[in-house]
Amino acid sequence: MNEIDPAHRFSSEAVRQFDGPADGDKPGGMNDVARQVASQYRRDTMSPIMVSGVLRMVEFAVLLVSGLCVYFYYVGFFNYLAWQYPLTIAAASFLAVVLLDVTDCYQVVSLMRPITNFGRILLVWAGTFALMALTAFTMKMSQDYSRLLFGTWFVVAFVCLFGLRLMMSKLIRRWARDGSMERRAVIVGGGKAAEVLIRSVEKQPYNDIRICGIFDDRNDKRSPALVAGYPKLGTISELIEFARIARIDMLIVSLPLTAESRVLQLLKKLWVLPVDIRLSAHSNALQFRPRAYSYIGSVPMLDIFDKPINDWDSVAKRAFDIIFSVIGIVAFSPVMLATAIAIKLDSKGPVLFKQKRHGFNNEIIEVYKFRSMYTDLSDPTAKQTVTKNDPRVTRVGRFIRKTSIDELPQFFNSLLGSLSLIGPRPHAIAAQSHNLLYNEVVDGYFARHKVKPGVTGWAQINGWRGEMDTNEKIRMRTEYDLYYIENWSLLFDLRILFLTPIRLLNTENAY
């Protein structure tokens, strides 16, 4: 076997091109036990990364406000304000949060054990004051500051900070007990290797990983029905449906790295899911540099795929959607009003057309459009795509489809959250190409649904819009969508957003 490079061996391109089974895109029905287990995990959970991130902001605010309160207590609110004090307090508060982060005080284990970490938190806060004093001394400004004021702030802020940590510890423990804050994981692969992995994970104190079950294609002595107290819930193909229903966060593949063909075969089925995929490395003989690993407690993992647009990235993208959707609704409201009137005057029926489409994680969503077809000839399933000079399209419909005005109501979808402003375009559930569903044409098609679909996208501004009348067109649209998912950034979204009106001037494929 060739030497394995963990950084490149399991790239999405390698997985897609792997010449092995890929029936994961066509999930089999789950058994009753798996369905019952999945139904217990339908509720979304809080991400530990988001919780610790919010705590950073709260602690910065606590330190800053406590410092300002002490300052105003000594100086008086309406007296002359020496602005170097508030600025110094803000800078010291920010520095303290950075130092707490550097010393791992925002890790879940640390947050759950504040008393154990009392000394570290006190040392960080004292170190912040030491650096502040050293800076003032170096800049010959120490005589401008009140020792009493800063001494009082040191005590008050630390009491507030540690009190907050004690409350957060109780909250996090409660959230961990009731399943509100956890990372849901599934073990892929059974037998002795899975048992050793589960025992290793469960040894970790204050672990936020909840193992939901085991999935394995094997049905022999190497993969018994019960491993370390966890049931085997089904095959790898059935795992696809289970992971979507149960809101699984992580798949841990319990196979040796040397079984490269088997690992690639599994990944070819699983990479379409919007989850983190990790390869357990705790029992591998191959050793990589420490930076090649991530850890669950002390259990090493090789990162194969990460869930795209996750945690704070999802917050930034949601804010982007809300801001620009509101701008779009306000800017295009005259056009939308005129279009609604024209549709009503042109033909009988409702102004809006609602269609069921695939959304994030293959969920069914309802997408709004201006009606462009005669009501009695419309096709909500989109089995028959619209073609050039299609008699089902109204006179107004031809114009609004060619100019993409019919898509403007989707600003409301984006504002409400079923769509994103930028992303892969959502396709109708029964959309077909030559009597084949799109997922039957393109291997890995459902990987488009690892993120929210969009009002516009990278494929659309590169010319892949309108009728998908050939298999090559749907393949190319999917390739552009996957490129967007793997290279997402806010700047990329801005680029697509501002290029969309320009590229829409090309109406060759829109009718």
Side-chain angles (χ1 to χ4, degrees):
M1 179 183 293
N2 295 331
E3 183 181 357
I4 298 173
D5 179 355
H8 303 289
R9 173 64 70 180
F10 298 116
S11 67
S12 58
E13 188 65 27
V15 169
R16 287 204 295 264
Q17 294 181 358
F18 175 66
D19 187 16
D23 56 347
D25 292 352
K26 312 170 187 67
M30 290 189 297
N31 60 64
D32 292 338
V33 175
R35 193 172 299 280
Q36 184 178 356
V37 173
S39 65
Q40 299 174 11
Y41 299 109
R42 285 182 179 272
R43 186 180 60 173
D44 284 327
T45 61
M46 293 181 290
S47 162
I49 293 174
M50 295 292 288
V51 170
S52 64
V54 170
L55 182 61
R56 287 172 174 85
M57 293 186 284
V58 172
E59 289 192 338
F60 171 75
V62 165
L63 295 175
L64 177 61
V65 171
S66 64
L68 293 177
C69 287
V70 170
Y71 173 69
F72 289 128
Y73 174 79
Y74 279 105
V75 177
F77 192 82
F78 296 104
N79 294 338
Y80 170 74
L81 297 180
W83 288 107
Q84 71 267 24
Y85 275 92
L87 290 175
T88 302
I89 290 169
S93 301
F94 179 78
L95 177 61
V97 171
V98 171
L99 292 177
L100 286 168
D101 192 15
V102 169
T103 54
D104 293 332
C105 288
Y106 289 107
Q107 297 295 323
V108 172
V109 174
S110 297
L111 295 177
M112 296 179 79
R113 305 169 65 188
I115 295 176
T116 305
N117 290 276
F118 178 89
R120 190 192 307 180
I121 298 169
L122 180 59
L123 184 62
V124 165
W125 189 225
T128 300
F129 271 69
L131 288 172
M132 187 168 56
L134 180 62
T135 302
F137 176 78
T138 304
M139 300 178 66
K140 298 180 179 180
M141 297 172 57
S142 56
Q143 69 278 6
D144 297 334
Y145 291 96
S146 167
R147 292 170 178 78
L148 177 62
L149 188 154
F150 278 97
T152 305
W153 181 40
F154 180 89
V155 175
V156 171
F158 183 76
V159 170
C160 293
L161 183 66
F162 195 72
L164 176 62
R165 291 263 168 162
L166 289 173
M167 287 190 293
M168 279 302 301
S169 171
K170 291 183 178 181
L171 279 175
I172 290 174
R173 288 170 189 269
R174 184 193 303 167
W175 292 336
R177 282 195 303 269
D178 65 18
S180 297
M181 192 184 85
E182 61 186 8
R183 286 184 292 169
R184 295 169 182 165
V186 163
I187 306 297
V188 181
K192 188 64 178 177
E195 181 179 359
V196 173
L197 170 62
I198 291 170
R199 300 292 187 205
S200 299
V201 171
E202 288 185 334
K203 279 182 187 176
Q204 307 306 314
Y206 305 106
N207 198 348
D208 66 331
I209 295 291
R210 182 186 292 269
I211 297 173
C212 300
I214 299 168
F215 286 80
D216 194 358
D217 282 338
R218 299 172 298 178
N219 285 307
D220 53 27
K221 292 181 179 179
R222 295 176 300 166
S223 182
L226 196 69
V227 178
Y230 292 91
K232 188 171 71 173
L233 298 177
T235 65
I236 305 303
S237 295
E238 292 166 348
L239 169 57
I240 306 294
E241 184 180 357
F242 179 88
R244 286 187 167 127
I245 293 174
R247 310 281 185 174
I248 295 299
D249 300 300
M250 181 186 300
L251 304 180
I252 304 176
V253 180
S254 177
L255 289 174
L257 198 60
T258 49
E260 184 179 4
S261 177
R262 173 67 174 146
V263 172
L264 279 168
Q265 180 180 324
L266 289 176
L267 295 179
K268 194 169 179 67
K269 296 179 180 182
L270 300 174
W271 77 286
V272 299
L273 290 169
V275 298
D276 295 330
I277 299 181
R278 303 289 181 254
L279 180 62
S280 170
H282 76 289
S283 60
N284 276 314
L286 292 172
Q287 296 293 319
F288 302 111
R289 294 187 302 273
R291 290 183 181 179
Y293 299 106
S294 63
Y295 291 85
I296 296 176
S298 60
V299 180
M301 301 280 171
L302 288 173
D303 297 351
I304 307 301
F305 290 113
D306 289 325
K307 181 178 179 179
I309 317 181
N310 199 18
D311 295 323
W312 289 106
D313 285 342
S314 66
V315 174
K317 188 165 176 62
R318 183 67 187 128
F320 178 97
D321 289 342
I322 292 172
I323 292 169
F324 284 99
S325 294
V326 170
I327 292 173
I329 290 169
V330 172
F332 289 102
S333 55
V335 177
M336 288 192 277
L337 180 60
T339 303
I341 295 171
I343 291 170
K344 270 296 184 185
L345 294 175
D346 184 49
S347 61
K348 294 180 180 179
V351 169
L352 291 179
F353 174 70
K354 299 176 183 178
Q355 189 176 58
K356 303 287 186 183
R357 299 192 180 189
H358 277 124
F360 170 69
N361 202 23
N362 260 31
E363 294 173 350
I364 306 302
I365 61 172
E366 197 169 59
V367 173
Y368 308 140
K369 297 181 70 174
F370 280 124
R371 181 176 59 83
S372 59
M373 294 185 179
Y374 293 103
T375 303
D376 56 341
L377 298 176
S378 64
D379 178 18
T381 63
K383 283 186 178 180
Q384 182 182 349
T385 57
V386 177
T387 57
K388 195 170 185 178
N389 299 319
D390 197 315
R392 297 175 299 164
V393 179
T394 65
R395 290 173 300 172
V396 171
R398 294 188 195 286
F399 176 75
I400 63 175
R401 291 181 71 92
K402 206 165 190 65
T403 55
S404 293
I405 290 174
D406 64 324
E407 310 282 359
L408 290 180
Q410 288 167 31
F411 277 121
F412 292 97
N413 278 114
S414 177
L415 184 62
L416 296 173
S418 56
L419 291 183
S420 183
L421 206 55
I422 313 295
R425 285 291 295 148
H427 293 153
I429 298 170
Q432 296 183 353
S433 173
H434 295 91
N435 295 320
L436 290 175
L437 294 172
Y438 286 168
N439 65 292
E440 296 173 321
V441 174
V442 181
D443 190 21
Y445 167 82
F446 283 132
R448 300 173 72 254
H449 304 155
K450 292 165 77 170
V451 300
K452 277 186 185 179
V455 178
T456 183
W458 183 236
Q460 280 61 46
I461 69 167
N462 281 281
W464 302 103
R465 59 186 286 250
E467 182 186 5
M468 294 288 104
D469 54 348
T470 67
N471 291 350
E472 180 62 19
K473 284 184 179 180
I474 186 58
R475 287 194 188 99
M476 290 304 299
R477 178 181 282 189
T478 302
E479 282 300 315
Y480 275 90
D481 290 338
L482 296 181
Y483 176 87
Y484 166 78
I485 292 170
E486 293 172 4
N487 295 276
W488 174 85
S489 70
L490 281 180
L491 287 177
F492 197 7
D493 273 1
L494 277 172
R495 178 185 175 191
I496 294 171
L497 184 64
F498 289 120
L499 282 176
T500 294
I502 299 171
R503 300 298 170 84
L504 287 181
L505 295 175
N506 179 9
T507 60
E508 181 181 353
N509 295 324
Y511 33 80

